[in-house]
Amino acid sequence: MRIPRVMVPAVLREGAEQDLPAGAADHLVRVLRVAVGRPLRVFDGRGAEFDATLIEAGKHRARVTLLSAVDAPPPSTLRITLAQSLARGEKMDLILQKATELGVAAIQPLRTERTEVRLGEERSERRMAHWRGVIIGACEQCGRADLPVLAPPLALPDWLAGMVDAPPEAGELRAFLDPASPDGIGAHRSAAAALVIAVGPEGGFADRELAAFAHARFQAWRVGPRVLRTETAGLAIIAIAQSRWGDLR
């Protein structure tokens, strides 16, 4: 029997009683029909996870007793930051969900010249809340106990300026995807400890954006002989990198 997992953004400790977030409680009780006494797993999004027992189940409210701590899977040995150009609706949800499952450490949404999604301040806040929910759901499903960091959307020039001001850490690679590049990830032979990978929108990065990446000393990589969609390209390169240097083995 699969044990449901719930993320609770709180300090968790053995023996404590803990209310579950309203949305999670509603899903457990009304959708999954989890009854009092059912075992659960509760994690804090920072790596701590506990066995738990449901002790109260009501409308929009559920409460558990935290039992012993369990060994959650550790973060990937390869720290990946995905800088993803904003994609429409379900495509962006898919990217966030699968990147979380594949073990990325951080996600930076980007606005580029060819980005079709336009977010005002109010809509941006709503999308951020929605995206956090997508990421939490992915963590609950895949067994991950640490949430990737989700940064607010940034314009590509502003993000690159910050990258120029922050020198790469030891063992860090920085690259952007360009199907016209002659090189792929295989061009880098030595091991990597961290990877920052930028993925363009449908239509790719504009010429002056490609020049800005070169100025910021990003490598240009292609992903095989075919042109991949924005919702495919980043996930493909993450999987390749994790199989080479990370924990996807």
Side-chain angles (χ1 to χ4, degrees):
M1 179 177 63
R2 184 174 179 272
I3 298 176
R5 300 177 72 248
V6 181
M7 202 282 284
V8 177
V11 177
L12 306 178
R13 56 186 177 82
E14 187 174 319
E17 294 186 0
Q18 177 69 54
D19 286 324
L20 301 183
D26 188 61
H27 182 72
L28 283 172
V29 175
R30 293 203 316 110
V31 179
L32 299 182
R33 300 190 181 279
V34 174
V36 169
R38 176 79 179 270
L40 304 172
R41 286 280 179 88
V42 176
F43 63 100
D44 65 359
R46 298 184 297 274
E49 183 164 354
F50 289 80
D51 282 323
T53 300
L54 187 65
I55 59 172
E56 183 179 343
K59 189 175 182 180
H60 306 305
R61 187 169 189 265
R63 190 170 180 83
V64 299
T65 295
L66 300 175
L67 305 175
S68 57
V70 299
D71 292 330
S76 174
T77 52
L78 177 65
R79 180 176 175 80
I80 300 177
T81 297
L82 172 64
Q84 172 67 50
S85 299
L86 290 167
R88 290 188 178 277
E90 292 182 358
K91 289 184 178 182
M92 194 68 182
D93 289 359
L94 175 71
I95 293 165
L96 295 173
Q97 181 187 70
K98 301 310 177 187
T100 298
E101 292 176 20
L102 288 168
V104 300
I107 301 168
Q108 173 62 70
L110 293 177
R111 297 190 303 271
T112 67
E113 286 191 26
R114 293 173 179 163
T115 296
E116 296 181 356
V117 179
R118 295 290 180 262
L119 298 177
E121 182 176 350
E122 182 178 345
R123 189 179 175 209
S124 180
E125 291 177 359
R126 291 200 305 270
R127 295 312 296 171
M128 285 287 289
H130 172 75
W131 292 336
R132 288 190 190 98
V134 171
I135 288 171
I136 289 170
C139 285
E140 290 175 341
Q141 180 275 325
C142 75
R144 182 173 176 174
D146 63 302
L147 267 64
V149 175
L150 176 65
L154 276 179
L156 178 60
D158 295 335
W159 178 69
L160 280 178
M163 295 298 293
V164 170
D165 292 339
E169 58 188 67
E172 181 183 84
L173 290 177
R174 295 179 175 181
F176 66 97
L177 298 187
D178 178 6
S181 173
D183 297 323
I185 191 172
H188 190 85
R189 301 295 182 185
S190 58
L195 173 64
V196 179
I197 187 73
V199 181
E202 297 290 354
F205 292 113
D207 287 345
R208 59 181 173 182
E209 292 173 331
L210 297 178
F213 276 115
H215 176 72
R217 298 184 178 179
F218 273 62
Q219 300 178 38
W221 287 349
R222 64 182 174 88
V223 190
R226 292 166 291 278
V227 178
L228 304 183
R229 291 182 180 274
T230 186
E231 68 269 28
T232 308
L235 301 178
I237 203 71
I238 290 166
I240 294 168
Q242 287 282 44
S243 68
R244 286 187 57 138
W245 304 309
D247 60 1
L248 203 64
R249 301 182 183 183

Short mmCIF file of all heavy atoms in Angstrom, two decimals, residues 170-226:
data_model
loop_
_atom_site.label_atom_id
_atom_site.label_comp_id
_atom_site.label_asym_id
_atom_site.label_seq_id
_atom_site.Cartn_x
_atom_site.Cartn_y
_atom_site.Cartn_z
N ALA A 170 33.41 26.50 -7.70
CA ALA A 170 34.30 25.43 -8.14
C ALA A 170 33.49 24.29 -8.76
O ALA A 170 32.52 23.82 -8.17
CB ALA A 170 35.12 24.92 -6.96
N GLY A 171 33.89 23.87 -9.95
CA GLY A 171 33.23 22.76 -10.61
C GLY A 171 31.90 23.09 -11.26
O GLY A 171 31.17 22.19 -11.66
N GLU A 172 31.58 24.40 -11.38
CA GLU A 172 30.30 24.79 -11.95
C GLU A 172 30.41 25.03 -13.45
O GLU A 172 31.32 25.73 -13.91
CB GLU A 172 29.79 26.06 -11.28
CG GLU A 172 28.44 26.54 -11.81
CD GLU A 172 27.99 27.84 -11.17
OE1 GLU A 172 28.41 28.92 -11.63
OE2 GLU A 172 27.21 27.76 -10.20
N LEU A 173 29.48 24.47 -14.21
CA LEU A 173 29.37 24.72 -15.63
C LEU A 173 28.18 25.64 -15.89
O LEU A 173 27.14 25.52 -15.23
CB LEU A 173 29.14 23.42 -16.40
CG LEU A 173 30.30 22.42 -16.48
CD1 LEU A 173 29.82 21.17 -17.21
CD2 LEU A 173 31.48 23.03 -17.18
N ARG A 174 28.30 26.52 -16.86
CA ARG A 174 27.21 27.39 -17.26
C ARG A 174 27.02 27.25 -18.77
O ARG A 174 27.97 27.41 -19.54
CB ARG A 174 27.50 28.84 -16.89
CG ARG A 174 27.59 29.07 -15.38
CD ARG A 174 27.91 30.50 -15.02
NE ARG A 174 27.88 30.71 -13.57
CZ ARG A 174 28.10 31.89 -12.98
NH1 ARG A 174 28.37 32.96 -13.72
NH2 ARG A 174 28.04 31.99 -11.67
N ALA A 175 25.79 26.96 -19.17
CA ALA A 175 25.54 26.72 -20.59
C ALA A 175 24.13 27.16 -20.95
O ALA A 175 23.26 27.29 -20.09
CB ALA A 175 25.72 25.24 -20.92
N PHE A 176 23.92 27.42 -22.24
CA PHE A 176 22.59 27.69 -22.77
C PHE A 176 22.38 26.76 -23.97
O PHE A 176 23.34 26.33 -24.61
CB PHE A 176 22.41 29.16 -23.18
CG PHE A 176 23.27 29.59 -24.33
CD1 PHE A 176 22.76 29.62 -25.62
CD2 PHE A 176 24.59 29.99 -24.14
CE1 PHE A 176 23.54 30.03 -26.71
CE2 PHE A 176 25.38 30.39 -25.20
CZ PHE A 176 24.86 30.41 -26.48
N LEU A 177 21.12 26.44 -24.23
CA LEU A 177 20.82 25.51 -25.30
C LEU A 177 20.63 26.25 -26.61
O LEU A 177 19.87 27.22 -26.68
CB LEU A 177 19.58 24.69 -24.97
CG LEU A 177 19.70 23.80 -23.72
CD1 LEU A 177 18.47 22.90 -23.60
CD2 LEU A 177 20.97 22.97 -23.73
N ASP A 178 21.33 25.78 -27.64
CA ASP A 178 21.27 26.38 -28.97
C ASP A 178 21.40 25.25 -30.00
O ASP A 178 22.47 24.64 -30.12
CB ASP A 178 22.42 27.39 -29.14
CG ASP A 178 22.44 28.02 -30.52
OD1 ASP A 178 21.50 27.77 -31.31
OD2 ASP A 178 23.39 28.76 -30.81
N PRO A 179 20.33 24.92 -30.72
CA PRO A 179 20.40 23.80 -31.67
C PRO A 179 21.41 24.02 -32.79
O PRO A 179 21.78 23.05 -33.48
CB PRO A 179 18.97 23.71 -32.22
CG PRO A 179 18.35 25.04 -31.94
CD PRO A 179 18.99 25.56 -30.69
N ALA A 180 21.88 25.26 -32.98
CA ALA A 180 22.88 25.52 -34.02
C ALA A 180 24.30 25.30 -33.53
O ALA A 180 25.25 25.35 -34.32
CB ALA A 180 22.73 26.97 -34.52
N SER A 181 24.49 25.05 -32.24
CA SER A 181 25.83 24.83 -31.72
C SER A 181 26.41 23.51 -32.22
O SER A 181 25.69 22.52 -32.32
CB SER A 181 25.80 24.82 -30.19
OG SER A 181 27.07 24.45 -29.67
N PRO A 182 27.70 23.48 -32.53
CA PRO A 182 28.32 22.21 -32.94
C PRO A 182 28.59 21.29 -31.76
O PRO A 182 28.90 20.11 -31.95
CB PRO A 182 29.64 22.66 -33.59
CG PRO A 182 29.98 23.94 -32.90
CD PRO A 182 28.66 24.60 -32.61
N ASP A 183 28.52 21.81 -30.54
CA ASP A 183 28.89 21.05 -29.35
C ASP A 183 27.68 20.67 -28.51
O ASP A 183 26.70 21.42 -28.42
CB ASP A 183 29.85 21.87 -28.46
CG ASP A 183 31.16 22.18 -29.15
OD1 ASP A 183 31.66 21.31 -29.89
OD2 ASP A 183 31.68 23.30 -28.95
N GLY A 184 27.78 19.52 -27.88
CA GLY A 184 26.79 19.09 -26.91
C GLY A 184 27.43 18.97 -25.55
O GLY A 184 28.59 19.34 -25.35
N ILE A 185 26.69 18.41 -24.60
CA ILE A 185 27.23 18.26 -23.25
C ILE A 185 28.46 17.36 -23.24
O ILE A 185 29.34 17.50 -22.40
CB ILE A 185 26.13 17.71 -22.31
CG1 ILE A 185 26.56 17.79 -20.85
CG2 ILE A 185 25.74 16.30 -22.69
CD1 ILE A 185 25.45 17.44 -19.88
N GLY A 186 28.57 16.48 -24.23
CA GLY A 186 29.72 15.59 -24.31
C GLY A 186 31.02 16.30 -24.58
O GLY A 186 32.10 15.71 -24.39
N ALA A 187 30.95 17.56 -25.01
CA ALA A 187 32.18 18.31 -25.26
C ALA A 187 32.92 18.62 -23.98
O ALA A 187 34.11 18.93 -23.99
CB ALA A 187 31.86 19.61 -26.01
N HIS A 188 32.21 18.56 -22.85
CA HIS A 188 32.86 18.81 -21.56
C HIS A 188 33.21 17.47 -20.94
O HIS A 188 32.34 16.71 -20.54
CB HIS A 188 31.93 19.60 -20.63
CG HIS A 188 32.61 20.09 -19.40
ND1 HIS A 188 33.32 21.27 -19.37
CD2 HIS A 188 32.73 19.55 -18.17
CE1 HIS A 188 33.83 21.43 -18.16
NE2 HIS A 188 33.47 20.40 -17.42
N ARG A 189 34.50 17.20 -20.85
CA ARG A 189 34.96 15.86 -20.46
C ARG A 189 35.09 15.69 -18.94
O ARG A 189 34.87 14.61 -18.41
CB ARG A 189 36.31 15.57 -21.11
CG ARG A 189 36.27 15.63 -22.63
CD ARG A 189 35.38 14.54 -23.20
NE ARG A 189 35.37 14.54 -24.66
CZ ARG A 189 34.61 13.76 -25.38
NH1 ARG A 189 33.78 12.92 -24.80
NH2 ARG A 189 34.64 13.83 -26.70
N SER A 190 35.50 16.74 -18.24
CA SER A 190 35.75 16.58 -16.80
C SER A 190 34.45 16.60 -16.02
O SER A 190 33.40 17.04 -16.52
CB SER A 190 36.68 17.70 -16.30
OG SER A 190 36.13 18.97 -16.57
N ALA A 191 34.50 16.13 -14.79
CA ALA A 191 33.31 16.05 -13.94
C ALA A 191 32.84 17.45 -13.54
O ALA A 191 33.62 18.39 -13.46
CB ALA A 191 33.61 15.23 -12.69
N ALA A 192 31.55 17.56 -13.32
CA ALA A 192 30.96 18.83 -12.88
C ALA A 192 30.29 18.63 -11.53
O ALA A 192 29.74 17.56 -11.25
CB ALA A 192 29.94 19.33 -13.90
N ALA A 193 30.34 19.66 -10.68
CA ALA A 193 29.66 19.63 -9.39
C ALA A 193 28.36 20.41 -9.43
O ALA A 193 27.47 20.20 -8.60
CB ALA A 193 30.58 20.19 -8.30
N ALA A 194 28.27 21.36 -10.36
CA ALA A 194 27.07 22.20 -10.47
C ALA A 194 26.89 22.57 -11.93
O ALA A 194 27.85 22.66 -12.70
CB ALA A 194 27.21 23.46 -9.62
N LEU A 195 25.63 22.79 -12.31
CA LEU A 195 25.30 23.14 -13.69
C LEU A 195 24.21 24.20 -13.69
O LEU A 195 23.18 24.03 -13.03
CB LEU A 195 24.81 21.90 -14.44
CG LEU A 195 24.26 22.13 -15.85
CD1 LEU A 195 25.34 22.65 -16.78
CD2 LEU A 195 23.65 20.83 -16.40
N VAL A 196 24.45 25.27 -14.41
CA VAL A 196 23.43 26.28 -14.68
C VAL A 196 23.09 26.16 -16.16
O VAL A 196 23.97 26.34 -17.01
CB VAL A 196 23.92 27.70 -14.35
CG1 VAL A 196 22.83 28.72 -14.67
CG2 VAL A 196 24.33 27.80 -12.89
N ILE A 197 21.85 25.84 -16.47
CA ILE A 197 21.47 25.62 -17.86
C ILE A 197 20.29 26.52 -18.22
O ILE A 197 19.28 26.55 -17.52
CB ILE A 197 21.13 24.14 -18.11
CG1 ILE A 197 20.90 23.87 -19.58
CG2 ILE A 197 19.98 23.65 -17.25
CD1 ILE A 197 22.16 23.86 -20.40
N ALA A 198 20.42 27.29 -19.29
CA ALA A 198 19.38 28.22 -19.74
C ALA A 198 18.70 27.66 -20.98
O ALA A 198 19.36 27.23 -21.93
CB ALA A 198 19.98 29.59 -20.05
N VAL A 199 17.37 27.69 -20.95
CA VAL A 199 16.56 27.13 -22.04
C VAL A 199 15.69 28.25 -22.62
O VAL A 199 14.99 28.95 -21.88
CB VAL A 199 15.67 25.98 -21.53
CG1 VAL A 199 14.86 25.39 -22.68
CG2 VAL A 199 16.51 24.92 -20.85
N GLY A 200 15.71 28.41 -23.94
CA GLY A 200 14.98 29.48 -24.59
C GLY A 200 13.51 29.15 -24.81
O GLY A 200 13.05 28.04 -24.55
N PRO A 201 12.77 30.12 -25.33
CA PRO A 201 11.35 29.93 -25.62
C PRO A 201 11.17 29.24 -26.97
O PRO A 201 12.15 28.92 -27.65
CB PRO A 201 10.83 31.36 -25.67
CG PRO A 201 11.99 32.12 -26.26
CD PRO A 201 13.23 31.47 -25.69
N GLU A 202 9.90 29.01 -27.34
CA GLU A 202 9.64 28.56 -28.71
C GLU A 202 10.20 29.63 -29.66
O GLU A 202 9.98 30.81 -29.49
CB GLU A 202 8.14 28.40 -28.95
CG GLU A 202 7.47 27.34 -28.07
CD GLU A 202 7.87 25.92 -28.45
OE1 GLU A 202 8.57 25.74 -29.45
OE2 GLU A 202 7.49 25.00 -27.70
N GLY A 203 10.97 29.21 -30.63
CA GLY A 203 11.61 30.17 -31.52
C GLY A 203 13.04 30.45 -31.11
O GLY A 203 13.81 31.04 -31.88
N GLY A 204 13.44 30.03 -29.91
CA GLY A 204 14.82 30.16 -29.48
C GLY A 204 15.20 31.54 -29.00
O GLY A 204 14.40 32.49 -29.00
N PHE A 205 16.43 31.67 -28.57
CA PHE A 205 16.96 32.96 -28.14
C PHE A 205 17.22 33.85 -29.36
O PHE A 205 17.60 33.38 -30.43
CB PHE A 205 18.27 32.79 -27.36
CG PHE A 205 18.11 32.11 -26.03
CD1 PHE A 205 18.66 30.85 -25.80
CD2 PHE A 205 17.43 32.73 -24.99
CE1 PHE A 205 18.53 30.22 -24.56
CE2 PHE A 205 17.28 32.12 -23.76
CZ PHE A 205 17.84 30.86 -23.54
N ALA A 206 17.02 35.16 -29.18
CA ALA A 206 17.33 36.13 -30.23
C ALA A 206 18.84 36.29 -30.37
O ALA A 206 19.61 35.94 -29.46
CB ALA A 206 16.68 37.47 -29.90
N ASP A 207 19.28 36.85 -31.52
CA ASP A 207 20.72 36.96 -31.79
C ASP A 207 21.44 37.75 -30.70
O ASP A 207 22.54 37.36 -30.27
CB ASP A 207 20.94 37.64 -33.14
CG ASP A 207 20.58 36.73 -34.31
OD1 ASP A 207 20.45 35.50 -34.08
OD2 ASP A 207 20.43 37.23 -35.44
N ARG A 208 20.86 38.86 -30.25
CA ARG A 208 21.58 39.65 -29.24
C ARG A 208 21.59 38.94 -27.89
O ARG A 208 22.48 39.18 -27.07
CB ARG A 208 21.02 41.05 -29.11
CG ARG A 208 19.56 41.18 -28.75
CD ARG A 208 19.21 42.65 -28.70
NE ARG A 208 17.79 42.88 -28.50
CZ ARG A 208 17.25 44.10 -28.47
NH1 ARG A 208 18.02 45.17 -28.62
NH2 ARG A 208 15.95 44.25 -28.29
N GLU A 209 20.62 38.04 -27.66
CA GLU A 209 20.66 37.24 -26.45
C GLU A 209 21.78 36.20 -26.53
O GLU A 209 22.46 35.94 -25.53
CB GLU A 209 19.31 36.57 -26.22
CG GLU A 209 18.20 37.56 -25.87
CD GLU A 209 16.82 36.92 -25.80
OE1 GLU A 209 16.59 35.91 -26.51
OE2 GLU A 209 15.97 37.44 -25.06
N LEU A 210 21.97 35.63 -27.70
CA LEU A 210 23.08 34.69 -27.89
C LEU A 210 24.41 35.40 -27.64
O LEU A 210 25.32 34.83 -27.00
CB LEU A 210 23.06 34.11 -29.30
CG LEU A 210 21.82 33.29 -29.68
CD1 LEU A 210 21.94 32.83 -31.13
CD2 LEU A 210 21.68 32.09 -28.76
N ALA A 211 24.53 36.62 -28.11
CA ALA A 211 25.76 37.40 -27.87
C ALA A 211 25.94 37.69 -26.39
O ALA A 211 27.07 37.66 -25.87
CB ALA A 211 25.71 38.70 -28.68
N ALA A 212 24.82 37.95 -25.68
CA ALA A 212 24.91 38.24 -24.24
C ALA A 212 25.37 37.00 -23.48
O ALA A 212 26.14 37.10 -22.52
CB ALA A 212 23.55 38.71 -23.73
N PHE A 213 24.91 35.83 -23.89
CA PHE A 213 25.38 34.60 -23.25
C PHE A 213 26.88 34.43 -23.47
O PHE A 213 27.62 34.06 -22.54
CB PHE A 213 24.64 33.39 -23.81
CG PHE A 213 23.32 33.12 -23.16
CD1 PHE A 213 22.14 33.22 -23.90
CD2 PHE A 213 23.25 32.73 -21.84
CE1 PHE A 213 20.91 32.96 -23.30
CE2 PHE A 213 22.02 32.46 -21.24
CZ PHE A 213 20.85 32.58 -21.97
N ALA A 214 27.34 34.69 -24.68
CA ALA A 214 28.77 34.56 -24.97
C ALA A 214 29.57 35.54 -24.12
O ALA A 214 30.64 35.20 -23.59
CB ALA A 214 29.03 34.80 -26.46
N HIS A 215 29.06 36.77 -23.98
CA HIS A 215 29.74 37.78 -23.16
C HIS A 215 29.82 37.32 -21.70
O HIS A 215 30.81 37.60 -21.01
CB HIS A 215 29.00 39.11 -23.25
CG HIS A 215 29.58 40.17 -22.36
ND1 HIS A 215 30.80 40.78 -22.62
CD2 HIS A 215 29.12 40.73 -21.20
CE1 HIS A 215 31.06 41.66 -21.68
NE2 HIS A 215 30.06 41.64 -20.81
N ALA A 216 28.78 36.61 -21.24
CA ALA A 216 28.75 36.11 -19.86
C ALA A 216 29.50 34.79 -19.71
O ALA A 216 29.49 34.18 -18.64
CB ALA A 216 27.31 35.95 -19.39
N ARG A 217 30.15 34.34 -20.79
CA ARG A 217 30.98 33.13 -20.80
C ARG A 217 30.18 31.86 -20.53
O ARG A 217 30.64 30.95 -19.86
CB ARG A 217 32.15 33.27 -19.81
CG ARG A 217 33.08 34.42 -20.16
CD ARG A 217 34.27 34.50 -19.25
NE ARG A 217 35.18 35.59 -19.65
CZ ARG A 217 36.30 35.90 -19.01
NH1 ARG A 217 36.67 35.20 -17.95
NH2 ARG A 217 37.05 36.90 -19.44
N PHE A 218 29.00 31.82 -21.11
CA PHE A 218 28.21 30.60 -21.11
C PHE A 218 28.60 29.77 -22.33
O PHE A 218 28.82 30.31 -23.42
CB PHE A 218 26.72 30.92 -21.20
CG PHE A 218 26.05 31.17 -19.87
CD1 PHE A 218 26.44 32.22 -19.06
CD2 PHE A 218 25.01 30.35 -19.44
CE1 PHE A 218 25.82 32.46 -17.85
CE2 PHE A 218 24.38 30.58 -18.23
CZ PHE A 218 24.79 31.63 -17.42
N GLN A 219 28.67 28.46 -22.16
CA GLN A 219 28.88 27.57 -23.29
C GLN A 219 27.56 27.37 -24.04
O GLN A 219 26.48 27.41 -23.43
CB GLN A 219 29.38 26.21 -22.80
CG GLN A 219 30.69 26.26 -22.04
CD GLN A 219 31.09 24.89 -21.53
OE1 GLN A 219 30.90 23.87 -22.21
NE2 GLN A 219 31.65 24.83 -20.34
N ALA A 220 27.65 27.14 -25.34
CA ALA A 220 26.47 26.83 -26.15
C ALA A 220 26.43 25.33 -26.38
O ALA A 220 27.40 24.74 -26.86
CB ALA A 220 26.53 27.57 -27.48
N TRP A 221 25.30 24.72 -26.02
CA TRP A 221 25.13 23.28 -26.20
C TRP A 221 23.89 23.00 -27.05
O TRP A 221 22.89 23.70 -26.97
CB TRP A 221 24.93 22.57 -24.86
CG TRP A 221 26.15 22.46 -24.01
CD1 TRP A 221 27.43 22.73 -24.35
CD2 TRP A 221 26.19 22.04 -22.64
NE1 TRP A 221 28.28 22.51 -23.30
CE2 TRP A 221 27.55 22.08 -22.23
CE3 TRP A 221 25.23 21.62 -21.73
CZ2 TRP A 221 27.94 21.73 -20.94
CZ3 TRP A 221 25.62 21.26 -20.45
CH2 TRP A 221 26.96 21.31 -20.06
N ARG A 222 23.97 21.96 -27.84
CA ARG A 222 22.78 21.44 -28.50
C ARG A 222 22.43 20.11 -27.83
O ARG A 222 23.27 19.49 -27.16
CB ARG A 222 23.00 21.24 -30.00
CG ARG A 222 24.05 20.21 -30.36
CD ARG A 222 24.24 20.13 -31.86
NE ARG A 222 25.35 19.24 -32.21
CZ ARG A 222 25.22 17.94 -32.40
NH1 ARG A 222 24.03 17.37 -32.27
NH2 ARG A 222 26.26 17.19 -32.72
N VAL A 223 21.20 19.65 -28.03
CA VAL A 223 20.77 18.37 -27.46
C VAL A 223 20.42 17.43 -28.61
O VAL A 223 19.27 17.35 -29.03
CB VAL A 223 19.56 18.54 -26.51
CG1 VAL A 223 19.30 17.25 -25.75
CG2 VAL A 223 19.79 19.69 -25.54
N GLY A 224 21.43 16.79 -29.16
CA GLY A 224 21.20 15.85 -30.24
C GLY A 224 20.93 16.52 -31.58
O GLY A 224 20.99 17.74 -31.72
N PRO A 225 20.58 15.72 -32.59
CA PRO A 225 20.45 16.23 -33.95
C PRO A 225 19.10 16.85 -34.27
O PRO A 225 18.92 17.41 -35.35
CB PRO A 225 20.66 14.98 -34.81
CG PRO A 225 20.12 13.87 -33.95
CD PRO A 225 20.47 14.25 -32.53
N ARG A 226 18.15 16.77 -33.35
CA ARG A 226 16.80 17.29 -33.61
C ARG A 226 16.54 18.54 -32.78
O ARG A 226 17.08 18.69 -31.68
CB ARG A 226 15.74 16.21 -33.30
CG ARG A 226 15.79 15.03 -34.27
CD ARG A 226 14.99 13.85 -33.75
NE ARG A 226 15.63 13.25 -32.59
CZ ARG A 226 16.64 12.37 -32.64
NH1 ARG A 226 17.13 12.01 -33.83
NH2 ARG A 226 17.16 11.86 -31.55
#
